[in-house]
Amino acid sequence: MKLRHLFLAVLCFALLSGCQKAEEPSRFIMPDVVVAVSPFTQPAQTSDLLSGFIPEGQKEISAKKLAELDTLFHSKLHSGKHKFVFLSQADIDGPMAKDERGRRNALVTWAERARRAGADMIVVPHIIMLQERVGGEAGAVSAAAVNEDFYLIDARKPYTLLQRTHFSEEQQALASDLTKIGAFFRRGGKWISDIELAAEGMDKAVEEMGL
């Protein structure tokens, strides 16, 4: 009887998850707009941030992992839908730009980088934290976790932060949180890697921003 009740509860959550209304994609990006895409970067100090905060005890993410994230994100963008300009690390190196008051400003910095690339807008992916899975797909000692943000900035004056997509998650066992039933089935009932989890945040950004 208890097993039957558990099955019914799981089925209800699955149905509810499937019936949730998808968020409408952004209409900020028009067909004739050129969109620059920055490489993934990890903000290390408050002045690097466009919003949010840096968690205590933040661990540095390797250049190899950042490159993996870049390759995966680029593969998810619909090149037939928008004209993208992919920036390299060299394109974003250098000191931060300053605002009218002479203060270092992340928004101005990213907008000016977009303008130098001949773009009207820029997508800026920030990876705040990336935790690797310890264990395998069948069972993990420590689950993968990610904290990432995607920003859409209008680089035409006045520079404007148009949209932010935030994704922060640590994979949990289904028994710990039945509200994640949809994600459980989508992930094939396995413990996924940190890159696979970060990819879910990318999908969310692509959908919400209309990329």
Side-chain angles (χ1 to χ4, degrees):
M1 184 65 71
K2 287 183 179 178
L3 193 59
R4 184 185 174 202
H5 287 163
L6 178 60
F7 173 77
L8 288 172
V10 168
L11 182 61
C12 287
F13 274 119
L15 290 171
L16 286 171
S17 305
C19 292
Q20 286 179 350
K21 187 179 179 182
E23 217 175 310
E24 285 292 321
S26 167
R27 296 287 181 261
F28 290 120
I29 308 177
M30 303 307 289
D32 59 339
V33 167
V34 179
V35 184
V37 180
S38 163
F40 268 83
T41 57
Q42 183 184 26
Q45 50 192 2
T46 304
S47 59
D48 296 332
L49 294 169
L50 284 157
S51 67
F53 65 95
I54 295 172
E56 200 171 323
Q58 181 192 45
K59 294 181 180 178
E60 185 178 359
I61 299 168
S62 70
K64 181 182 177 183
K65 285 282 186 184
L66 293 174
E68 285 184 63
L69 293 171
D70 287 336
T71 300
L72 187 56
F73 187 44
H74 292 177
S75 73
K76 292 178 177 292
L77 300 177
H78 306 300
S79 57
K81 190 174 182 181
H82 301 297
K83 183 178 179 181
F84 292 109
V85 177
F86 297 104
L87 305 186
S88 67
Q89 187 60 48
D91 292 323
I92 65 170
D93 282 343
M96 290 185 69
K98 296 181 179 180
D99 61 19
E100 295 175 350
R101 298 183 180 181
R103 299 172 300 186
R104 298 200 317 162
N105 187 291
L107 177 63
V108 174
T109 299
W110 288 111
E112 291 189 354
R113 287 167 177 167
R115 297 308 298 170
R116 285 199 298 270
D120 305 298
M121 294 183 178
I122 183 169
V123 176
V124 181
H126 279 173
I127 182 84
I128 309 299
M129 183 271 289
L130 190 66
Q131 175 180 293
E132 291 188 42
R133 177 191 66 204
V134 178
E137 292 183 350
V141 177
S142 177
V146 65
N147 183 352
E148 59 188 338
D149 288 298
F150 299 82
Y151 299 96
L152 178 63
I153 295 170
D154 192 333
R156 298 164 295 189
K157 289 188 176 181
Y159 302 147
T160 309
L161 176 56
L162 297 173
Q163 193 171 358
R164 175 198 184 200
T165 292
H166 178 67
F167 184 78
S168 180
E169 183 162 341
E170 180 173 358
Q171 189 176 4
Q172 303 287 336
L174 179 59
S176 301
D177 188 357
L178 284 174
T179 63
K180 299 291 185 181
I181 183 70
F184 175 81
F185 286 118
R186 189 171 62 250
R187 294 164 182 165
K190 65 182 182 180
W191 294 92
I192 62 176
S193 71
D194 52 350
I195 298 295
E196 290 172 319
L197 189 58
E200 294 185 5
M202 297 178 198
D203 291 336
K204 184 174 184 245
V206 168
E207 176 65 25
E208 291 182 0
M209 293 182 178
L211 299 171

